[in-house]
Amino acid sequence: MNGNKSTVGTWVGFIAILIWCLLPVAWILSLSFKPVAETTAGSPQFLPKEWTLQNYRDILANPDFTRALINSFGIALIATVLSVIFATLAAYAIARLEFKGKKIVLSIALAIAMFPVVSLVGPLFDMWRTFHLFNTWPGLIIPYMSFTLPLAIWTLSAFFREIPWELEQAAQVDGATTWQAFRKVIVPLAAPGVFTAAILTFFFAWNEFVLAISLTSTTDARTVPAQMSFFVGADPFNPPYSQLATASVVVTIPVIIIVLLFQRKIVAGLTSGAVKG
């Protein structure tokens, strides 16, 4: 009897949490299928009175939005690749080599990861204007890497510590160089950690807003989160909620696809890091 009550309580709690988490998503989806006139009428109902795909046609035909999508993909992908490469090399050195100040390096990396982004906007704005990096892809890629590298280093160093040192030594005995042993033995074994670091880096770069809105002035480098803030419509007191919701759905689709395709690797990487770290 107690077991049945526990099961029922578990399912009730699970359903309540599921509704709490998915209700905003359902509301945004519903808004994206409503005509603009319906969303500006005041207190619209949950389901559309008239279903329409016009919002998606308008968003995808908007050159500023499509340009922002290209910027987001390019900047996030480049920042992810560079961060994972540098983090892999740094984490391997921290895990395998003995040198003075190792703990200090890790502490500084963690402090950088926790540093508030907004406090760096002013200095970066002045520096990027001086170095002609303002409103450019490198002007966003560099600070994105600065904030994602520490987390990636912490994640990967935990994996490298758990890989037996004897495997690398055996590869070297068989004639492999240090670089070959690292590339062909160590990195494949740390693949879950590398994948986890890449996913976290990509999500940060894809969703980041403060730097994207502060370090850009045109659509040349502005990413989607920043570009969405310019969807104000003709009337500033009645923003185009349906188009904003549509843009949010379009931006979320790549993230959902990545999670659905690689959910096992994501979970394996996160749980392995938690156990081994």
Side-chain angles (χ1 to χ4, degrees), residues 151 154-162 192-193 196 200 265-277:
L151 181 60
W154 269 86
T155 303
L156 289 172
S157 61
F159 282 87
F160 285 134
R161 287 194 206 99
E162 296 300 321
T196 301
L200 295 176
K265 292 184 178 180
I266 294 173
V267 173
L270 291 174
T271 53
S272 297
V275 173
K276 295 180 180 180

Side-chain angles (χ1 to χ4, degrees), residues 2-276:
N2 291 332
N4 293 334
K5 289 182 179 180
S6 177
T7 302
V8 172
T10 300
W11 276 104
V12 170
F14 172 76
I15 294 173
I17 294 174
L18 193 65
I19 293 174
W20 177 266
C21 294
L22 294 183
L23 185 59
V25 178
W27 181 256
I28 291 175
L29 280 172
S30 176
L31 281 176
S32 68
F33 290 106
K34 293 179 179 179
V36 176
E38 183 177 343
T39 59
T40 57
S43 300
Q45 61 183 10
F46 181 77
L47 293 177
K49 296 179 180 178
E50 178 183 352
W51 295 77
T52 179
L53 292 174
Q54 188 60 41
N55 294 320
Y56 289 91
R57 298 189 188 100
D58 293 340
I59 285 295
L60 296 178
N62 187 331
D64 292 340
F65 183 77
T66 54
R67 176 62 185 177
L69 274 177
I70 295 173
N71 292 338
S72 290
F73 273 113
I75 291 172
L77 186 61
I78 294 173
T80 299
V81 172
L82 293 178
S83 293
V84 169
I85 291 175
F86 290 134
T88 302
L89 298 175
Y92 175 78
I94 291 173
R96 293 302 197 197
L97 304 180
E98 292 296 333
F99 57 90
K100 292 183 179 180
K102 180 190 293 189
K103 293 183 179 180
I104 297 177
V105 172
L106 287 173
S107 300
I108 293 175
L110 185 60
I112 293 174
M114 294 182 176
F115 208 77
V117 176
V118 68
S119 63
L120 298 178
V121 169
L124 279 176
F125 180 85
D126 291 335
M127 288 175 59
W128 274 197
R129 292 291 296 268
T130 302
F131 298 148
H132 304 288
L133 290 174
F134 182 78
N135 199 40
T136 63
W137 280 26
L140 290 178
I141 292 172
I142 294 172
Y144 286 177
M145 290 177 57
S146 300
F147 284 99
T148 55
L149 264 175
L151 181 60
I153 290 173
W154 269 86
T155 303
L156 289 172
S157 61
F159 282 87
F160 285 134
R161 287 194 206 99
E162 296 300 321
I163 297 176
W165 181 252
E166 291 77 11
L167 294 176
E168 188 174 0
Q169 291 177 327
Q172 292 176 350
V173 170
D174 290 339
T177 62
T178 302
W179 170 249
Q180 289 175 333
F182 168 75
R183 183 168 54 89
K184 296 182 179 180
V185 177
I186 302 300
V187 173
L189 291 175
V194 174
F195 194 87
T196 301
I199 290 296
L200 295 176
T201 301
F202 184 85
F203 284 176
F204 174 86
W206 182 261
N207 295 319
E208 202 282 326
F209 173 77
V210 175
L211 294 173
I213 194 66
S214 304
L215 301 180
T216 60
S217 59
T218 66
T219 56
D220 290 342
R222 188 180 293 145
T223 57
V224 171
Q227 184 61 38
M228 287 175 61
S229 65
F230 290 87
F231 289 4
V232 294
D235 184 2
F237 297 101
N238 289 301
Y241 295 109
S242 57
Q243 292 190 1
L244 284 169
T246 305
S248 300
V249 172
V250 173
V251 172
T252 307
I253 288 175
V255 177
I256 295 176
I257 292 175
I258 291 175
V259 171
L260 291 178
L261 290 178
F262 305 109
Q263 57 180 334
R264 291 186 178 180
K265 292 184 178 180
I266 294 173
V267 173
L270 291 174
T271 53
S272 297
V275 173
K276 295 180 180 180

